[in-house]
Each structure stands twice: as structure tokens, then as C-alpha cells.
Amino acid sequence: MYYYIVNKSNKNIQFIGNALESNFENIIVGQTSDAQRAYDDLRQLRVDVLITDYDLAPFDGLELLQKLKKANILPRIIMTANTPSDALVTAAYEKGCDFFLHHPLNALEIAHVSKVLSTQLRLLSNMRVISELSGSLNSPYPRQQTVHRQQIDFVNDTLRFLGIAAEKGYDDIMRIIRLMVDKDQNFDQVDLENCLGINPKEKKVIYQRIRRALHVGIVSLATMCIDYPDNDMLLDYANNLFEYQNVHAEILHQNGTEIERGQISLQHFFDGLLQESYRAKRLAPNRPN
């Protein structure tokens, strides 16, 4: 399983890491003392279990869980704290915490909790596979459900990577891309009014929400292109999702050398996103740290 550790104490981070790595199946993909850095990292990394302390900055562990949930980032959660109140423990569980551990931490307890979560995740994974295999026998769609799920998961990862998962238009994007994946159709081939049961006015409102979300995405992508100008994966996203000239215009705008911002084509974005989803059959590309 993939772990991420957040704690203000480097000593605690090392202690937790040593306890986890007593099981060779556990991999620590990141660690930090900063809650904002943790949130930014989890938007890009695959993390099965987050181990976070309550006492963090610039915001506490409860707010970190709330921000992750809002962004649809849902790892298993182990929270730690020094002499927490009953109210704090209750609030943590209400926000999605799976286990709450008290300081001073115990290595055997960490290893035990890790083993319990590993067993739970493995059982859930097996149940999903069984469900997909049984569902594919009577599936109304021509595509295999396991491939379908891989494509949708890849799309979700892409939207998270672009910073779109927390936007209001995220759910609309996912509804449309699911239709496109299910039917293996391009954006202009899907009858959204009929499939979603909406009228032209409602469709226009949906498009407006999506455009606002995609504006966040193109700004985020342009910023990453500035920071990582030689990253081929970012260039692929720029071309396939927004057309590179629009991302380039946004880069110039951010640098203060261009007034006009990049344009957004819904058809180009959705068709590009569908093509990107086919990459789910291969290993996901490396992303900049």
C-alpha cells in the first residue's frame, strides 16, 4: 500500500515510517510537516493511506481532511494527536478518519492498524473485481466493465492533476465522459439532452459550469508548463486537451506579456479526454513532483 505521512515532528515522521516499513509491502510515497504541501501532493500522487497529525500548519488535520474530501480525494485516514479531547476524536471520525492514535505512538499499534487497513482494501478490491466480472455478463454496454472502470479512474486522476476535481463543473464533466466512454462516442455524437434528461437551457448552464472548471484547469496546466517546460506529459495534455496555442497564450498572460487568455473548446477537451482515457490500458505516465 502507498502511504503519505504528515507530522510537524521529523522524529515522529521517522518513527511512523520505520513502523510501516517493517512490512515490505508498504511504500511511503511522501512526507511533510506542512498541511498545504500535503494537500497539493495528494492531488497528484496515488495514496492509499494518509497518516496525519491534528496539530499542523497552516491549517489543522481536520481541515486537511475536509479539503481532501471536497476535492474528491479519499484515501484511508489515520489521525494522530497529543491528548485529544473526545470532541476532537468524534469530529475526526465524522470527517472520514478510520483510526485515531494517541501520542506517544506505538510501533506495534501502527503496524497492526496498517495490517487491518491493508486487509480491508484488499477485500474491497476483490469484491470490485467480482462485481465487475459478474456485471460484465449482462452489461448493456459493448465495452468490458473492467476496461470501463480503468478509463474512468484515469479520467478522474487527470482531472485531479489539473486541479479540476474541487470545482462545481467536475460532476458535470464526469457525467458526460462516462456517457462517452460507455457508448465509445465523441462529444458531438452524444445526445446530452436525451441521455441526461435536460432541456437546452439546462445544458447551457452545465456548459457554463464546465467552462469555469476548465478555466481553472488551463491556468493550472500553464503554471506547470512554466515550472516544467521540458516535461513531455504536460505538452501532451496541452495539445490533447486545450490545444497548445491556448495554453501558450495563458503562459504569456501569466508572464504579463499577453492580454488575451487561452480559449477553451469543450469538444476538443472532451474528445481529448476520451483519447487520454485509452492510456489507462498502459502504465500511467510519470508526473512532475
Side-chain angles (χ1 to χ4, degrees):
M1 291 199 303
Y2 296 99
Y3 285 83
Y4 193 100
I5 306 171
V6 194
N7 198 292
K8 289 177 66 175
S9 167
N10 288 331
K11 182 178 179 180
N12 284 339
I13 289 177
Q14 184 176 4
F15 182 84
I16 294 170
N18 290 339
L20 292 174
E21 289 178 338
S22 63
N23 183 341
F24 70 92
E25 293 183 349
N26 294 334
I27 299 173
I28 299 172
V29 297
Q31 58 189 42
T32 184
S33 61
D34 184 87
Q36 183 62 52
R37 171 66 184 275
Y39 173 72
D40 293 337
D41 284 350
L42 264 72
R43 289 172 56 189
Q44 300 183 36
L45 298 173
R46 175 191 168 183
V47 175
D48 295 313
V49 180
L50 169 66
I51 302 182
T52 178
D53 197 59
Y54 168 72
D55 183 21
L56 300 174
F59 44 84
D60 63 38
L62 291 183
E63 187 172 348
L64 174 60
L65 300 194
Q66 186 172 345
K67 288 170 68 71
L68 291 172
K69 185 175 181 180
K70 186 177 179 181
N72 201 36
I73 303 170
L74 305 172
R76 293 303 180 97
I77 305 293
I78 300 173
M79 180 169 282
T80 64
N82 188 25
T83 61
S85 65
D86 290 341
L88 172 58
V89 175
T90 299
Y93 281 120
E94 289 176 345
K95 293 185 182 299
C97 177
D98 294 278
F99 290 95
F100 203 112
L101 305 183
H102 298 227
H103 291 289
L105 298 174
N106 181 287
L108 290 178
E109 186 177 22
I110 294 172
H112 174 72
V113 169
S114 167
K115 185 176 181 180
V116 171
L117 287 178
S118 177
T119 301
Q120 290 178 352
L121 289 172
R122 189 177 295 111
L123 288 173
L124 287 173
S125 177
N126 291 340
M127 289 174 64
R128 281 195 295 265
V129 171
I130 293 171
S131 176
E132 288 167 352
L133 290 175
S134 61
S136 65
L137 297 177
N138 299 306
S139 172
Y141 304 117
R143 301 182 64 78
Q144 293 184 1
Q145 293 301 297
T146 51
V147 176
H148 171 277
R149 179 174 173 271
Q150 289 173 348
Q151 289 182 264
I152 295 301
D153 286 348
F154 194 87
V155 167
N156 187 54
D157 287 344
T158 300
L159 297 182
R160 284 173 52 187
F161 179 66
L162 295 174
I164 294 176
E167 300 302 311
K168 291 183 178 180
Y170 165 80
D171 289 335
D172 299 307
I173 295 173
M174 292 304 297
R175 282 199 297 171
I176 293 173
I177 199 64
R178 281 192 179 97
L179 288 172
M180 294 172 62
V181 170
D182 290 343
K183 299 175 179 295
D184 198 20
Q185 292 180 342
N186 289 331
F187 181 72
D188 60 352
Q189 295 175 310
V190 178
D191 184 353
L192 294 180
E193 293 179 23
N194 181 53
C195 292
L196 300 180
I198 58 177
N199 58 42
K201 183 177 180 180
E202 291 171 326
K203 183 170 74 170
K204 184 177 180 180
V205 172
I206 288 174
Y207 282 1
Q208 289 173 339
R209 283 200 299 262
I210 292 175
R211 287 187 181 279
R212 286 193 289 269
L214 296 189
H215 175 71
V216 172
I218 196 173
V219 170
S220 176
L221 184 56
T223 301
M224 288 187 283
C225 286
I226 293 173
D227 292 337
Y228 306 96
D230 298 323
N231 188 280
D232 292 336
M233 187 273 295
L234 295 178
L235 295 178
D236 286 343
Y237 278 167
N239 282 316
N240 297 341
L241 302 181
F242 297 103
E243 295 183 292
Y244 180 75
Q245 64 267 27
N246 294 312
V247 177
H248 183 64
E250 182 61 37
I251 291 173
L252 295 178
H253 178 82
Q254 291 189 30
N255 287 331
T257 58
E258 177 65 55
I259 298 177
E260 294 293 329
R261 312 197 74 157
Q263 301 299 308
I264 293 172
S265 164
L266 294 188
Q267 179 164 340
H268 187 88
F269 176 83
F270 276 102
D271 288 349
L273 196 58
L274 179 64
Q275 293 303 313
E276 285 289 322
S277 75
Y278 294 139
R279 298 169 66 180
K281 302 173 186 177
R282 307 192 299 273
L283 290 177
N286 292 326
R287 291 173 175 171
N289 295 324

